[in-house]
Amino acid sequence: MKPKNRYFCVGCQRPKMLFETKSKADNFLKFNEKDFDKSAKGAPVRSYFCSFCGGWHISSISSITSIISAKERDGLVLQSLIGPISEEIQDHNSIEYKEFIEQYGYLSSLYSQIRIIIASTDYDSAKRLLEKAQIQFQKMLRHNLSCCINDERQSSIENAFAQLSSFLQLLIELQNKPHIPPDETLGIMFQNHQSGYCRKAINNLKNKIIFLRIISALHQCEKEDERNILILQAESIVKSGFRGGGCSNLRKWAKALLNGYA
């Protein structure tokens, strides 16, 4: 690897390699990866657009906090040189913007999947997908910061996942309670989650808890007439207690559990 295309960057106040496009900068990183000392603090790991040079540099900065800090620094320097900065008009036909749309679409798909899984009370799977979504969101954020992409959908999807994560934590808390709280207490507990979807997910969990208690009672019940009443109650929950897409597996699980006592 031989350093080339070096230009003095006003923002960094030092010479830096300059590439015409993001793909050229990324290809340089890719094909020279073996020459970089990965243990070294200054080893480049990503490309980014430089407003001063009008092209792409490579950088060793990878943390979101550091990227934001550097971007804010560059913004202040640029403003001091040219005055107030007008809002950038995003090129929706650029490769970088299309990559953002692709990443946003993937996150939106994950969001829908997680909602379905939460409604079916599979909270362990939902937590794993939320962790996956967080990694993908950080990737999208780095991309947008590096490419100077400012799109309101970034904050909207971030807020949507934050709400979903908060809702999931409350459902797990409810699931672990020894008794189902009264509706008034649940109303306070879920005061920030009052949509139709949220009410459906809460009711699914309540019915699942009740169903498991019926199964526990069946396990201990020896009188046939009492067993028949409990079985009818359990069948009613299986039939109409679980609502929403994705609940077919929940109903199958409940039916299989009940078949052992029917």
Side-chain angles (χ1 to χ4, degrees):
M1 176 185 67
K2 295 182 179 179
K4 57 182 179 178
N5 302 336
R6 283 193 172 276
Y7 292 83
F8 184 82
C9 177
V10 177
C12 297
Q13 288 294 296
R14 62 186 176 86
K16 295 208 69 172
M17 296 181 68
L18 181 65
F19 301 87
E20 294 178 357
T21 64
K22 184 178 188 299
S23 61
K24 288 183 178 180
D26 290 339
N27 282 336
F28 180 83
L29 286 172
K30 177 181 178 181
F31 292 114
N32 293 280
E33 183 179 11
K34 63 180 184 298
D35 296 321
F36 297 133
D37 182 2
K38 295 299 182 179
S39 62
K41 185 177 181 180
V45 293
R46 68 181 183 91
S47 62
Y48 73 96
F49 182 77
C50 176
S51 300
F52 297 98
C53 302
W56 296 81
H57 296 317
I58 56 177
S59 173
S60 60
I61 298 175
S62 59
S63 73
I64 295 297
T65 303
S66 298
I67 293 173
I68 293 175
S69 177
K71 187 175 178 64
E72 290 175 346
R73 176 207 65 200
D74 289 351
L76 291 173
V77 173
L78 188 60
Q79 188 172 353
S80 69
L81 293 172
I82 66 175
I85 303 172
S86 59
E87 185 176 346
E88 296 181 13
I89 299 176
Q90 187 63 52
D91 180 8
H92 290 189
N93 294 318
S94 69
I95 295 175
E96 292 76 29
Y97 191 82
K98 289 177 180 178
E99 286 178 0
F100 156 68
I101 294 300
E102 182 178 342
Q103 293 171 346
Y104 173 80
Y106 178 66
L107 279 170
S108 297
S109 176
L110 271 181
Y111 178 78
S112 298
Q113 291 178 46
I114 295 169
R115 276 171 57 96
I116 291 172
I117 292 173
I118 287 177
S120 69
T121 73
D122 185 358
Y123 302 147
D124 287 339
S125 294
K127 285 173 66 177
R128 286 194 293 270
L129 277 184
L130 273 172
E131 291 172 357
K132 184 177 182 179
Q134 179 61 25
I135 293 172
Q136 179 63 30
F137 179 79
Q138 293 297 311
K139 179 181 177 181
M140 185 182 75
L141 182 55
R142 287 189 182 91
H143 172 78
N144 289 358
L145 287 170
S146 295
C147 301
C148 299
I149 292 174
N150 184 18
D151 192 291
E152 61 183 11
R153 281 172 288 188
Q154 176 180 299
S155 59
S156 69
I157 197 72
E158 181 180 19
N159 292 335
F161 273 114
Q163 279 286 101
L164 201 58
S165 179
S166 170
F167 181 52
L168 176 59
Q169 292 305 313
L170 289 174
L171 287 172
I172 293 173
E173 182 181 336
L174 173 59
Q175 179 180 242
N176 294 332
K177 287 183 179 297
H179 304 287
I180 299 176
D183 290 341
E184 182 179 352
T185 303
L186 286 176
I188 297 173
M189 183 178 179
F190 290 95
Q191 59 184 328
N192 296 323
H193 306 280
Q194 294 293 321
S195 68
Y197 161 77
C198 290
R199 290 194 294 272
K200 189 182 300 180
I202 294 168
N203 285 331
N204 284 348
L205 175 57
K206 289 167 63 178
N207 284 323
K208 181 180 180 180
I209 293 172
I210 294 170
F211 177 82
L212 287 172
R213 289 178 182 172
I214 293 173
I215 294 298
S216 178
L218 272 171
H219 184 68
Q220 301 174 26
C221 184
E222 296 180 354
K223 296 182 179 179
E224 185 175 352
D225 55 342
E226 292 180 359
R227 285 176 59 86
N228 289 336
I229 292 174
L230 290 171
I231 288 173
L232 287 174
Q233 292 175 348
E235 289 177 340
S236 176
I237 291 176
V238 173
K239 183 178 179 180
S240 58
F242 303 128
R243 302 281 185 176
C247 285
S248 58
N249 288 335
L250 180 58
R251 283 188 285 270
K252 288 178 182 178
W253 164 82
K255 285 179 182 178
L257 200 58
L258 183 58
N259 285 339
Y261 298 92

